[in-house]
Amino acid sequence: MKTMNILVINNYGQFCHLIHRTIRDLDMDTSMISNTSSVEDILSKGPDGLVLSGGPTLERAGNCAQYIKEIDLPILGICLGHQVMARTFGGEIGPGKFGGYAEVEVEILEEDNILQGMAPKTSVWASHADEVKTLPEGFAWLARSDICEIEAMKHETRPLYGVQWHPEVAHTEKGKELFLNFFKVCEDH
């Protein structure tokens, strides 16, 4: 796989720097960019893909909805990034019944390209303080768990992917594989 330029959009999440480091450790060029950057600023950096990090609240997601709407590149939304993606397309976001950061067993409903090699189940670490409650129109449902119905999704025609869990943390099984699958999407785009 060739080296690509993957930008990490900083949504002030506790693991944003870990996402950046994980991508770098997987031999990709990467930079962390403020979520208040303009679309023009982001495009001027010549990215092959974007990762929208987790973060504390939807109100602190800056221009992420604009990036999702206007930038024609593969985008991976993690936790808050997943929620912003869902809301941008009309999905409902709400508090989870089990809010804390914990280990969750996720059932893969559709392996697709982003979850390739992860079925039938995988153990992940996730926070469910907030979660996607309704799948947005135009998205396919990829994964669920006993505590959250929409653990992962993808847009049906654009290379947009969201996961509720944190693939960048060491305790998530197959987290690096998820990033490598995303890089493959970026390479093929």
Side-chain angles (χ1 to χ4, degrees), residues 5-50:
N5 181 19
I6 308 294
L7 300 183
V8 178
I9 307 301
N10 185 353
N11 284 318
Y12 312 103
Q14 59 184 339
F15 300 125
C16 189
H17 291 277
L18 188 53
I19 295 169
H20 177 260
R21 181 177 166 192
T22 300
I23 293 170
R24 187 192 67 214
D25 289 351
L26 292 170
D27 296 325
M28 294 296 151
D29 292 333
T30 182
S31 304
M32 202 154 29
I33 307 296
S34 168
N35 69 4
T36 58
S37 300
S38 69
V39 167
E40 294 76 23
D41 284 346
I42 288 175
L43 293 176
S44 74
K45 299 188 182 311
D48 295 296
L50 305 180

Side-chain angles (χ1 to χ4, degrees), residues 27-163:
D27 296 325
M28 294 296 151
D29 292 333
T30 182
S31 304
M32 202 154 29
I33 307 296
S34 168
N35 69 4
T36 58
S37 300
S38 69
V39 167
E40 294 76 23
D41 284 346
I42 288 175
L43 293 176
S44 74
K45 299 188 182 311
D48 295 296
L50 305 180
V51 176
L52 308 180
S53 82
T57 63
L58 286 164
E59 293 72 35
R60 296 209 44 210
N63 296 331
C64 285
Q66 184 181 6
Y67 307 154
I68 292 164
K69 287 187 229 170
E70 297 179 18
I71 297 177
D72 182 28
L73 288 171
I75 300 176
L76 172 62
I78 296 173
C79 197
L80 178 69
H82 166 66
Q83 296 160 22
V84 171
M85 191 174 288
R87 189 172 75 171
T88 300
F89 287 91
E92 179 191 350
I93 309 305
K97 294 181 207 143
F98 303 92
Y101 180 68
E103 185 175 17
V104 179
E105 188 171 271
V106 170
E107 176 188 358
I108 307 300
L109 302 172
E110 184 185 334
E111 267 192 289
D112 192 57
N113 42 12
I114 200 76
L115 301 179
Q116 195 67 43
M118 297 187 194
K121 295 188 177 192
T122 189
S123 179
V124 303
W125 280 77
S127 167
H128 289 85
D130 291 302
E131 61 191 29
V132 177
K133 296 291 193 180
T134 60
L135 191 68
E137 192 172 329
F139 275 74
W141 185 27
L142 300 181
R144 64 164 303 282
S145 72
D146 288 343
I147 63 170
C148 175
E149 278 303 303
I150 305 169
E151 291 279 3
M153 64 182 191
K154 71 159 189 156
H155 194 277
E156 292 172 349
T157 58
R158 292 181 58 200
L160 304 176
Y161 303 88
V163 294

Side-chain angles (χ1 to χ4, degrees), residues 157-173:
T157 58
R158 292 181 58 200
L160 304 176
Y161 303 88
V163 294
Q164 181 67 36
W165 67 87
H166 289 274
E168 71 277 13
V169 299
H171 296 303
T172 290
E173 288 178 356

Side-chain angles (χ1 to χ4, degrees), residues 1-5 26-28 48 183 186-188:
M1 184 178 297
K2 71 173 189 158
T3 300
M4 285 170 287
N5 181 19
L26 292 170
D27 296 325
M28 294 296 151
D48 295 296
F183 302 157
C186 295
E187 188 175 48
D188 293 344

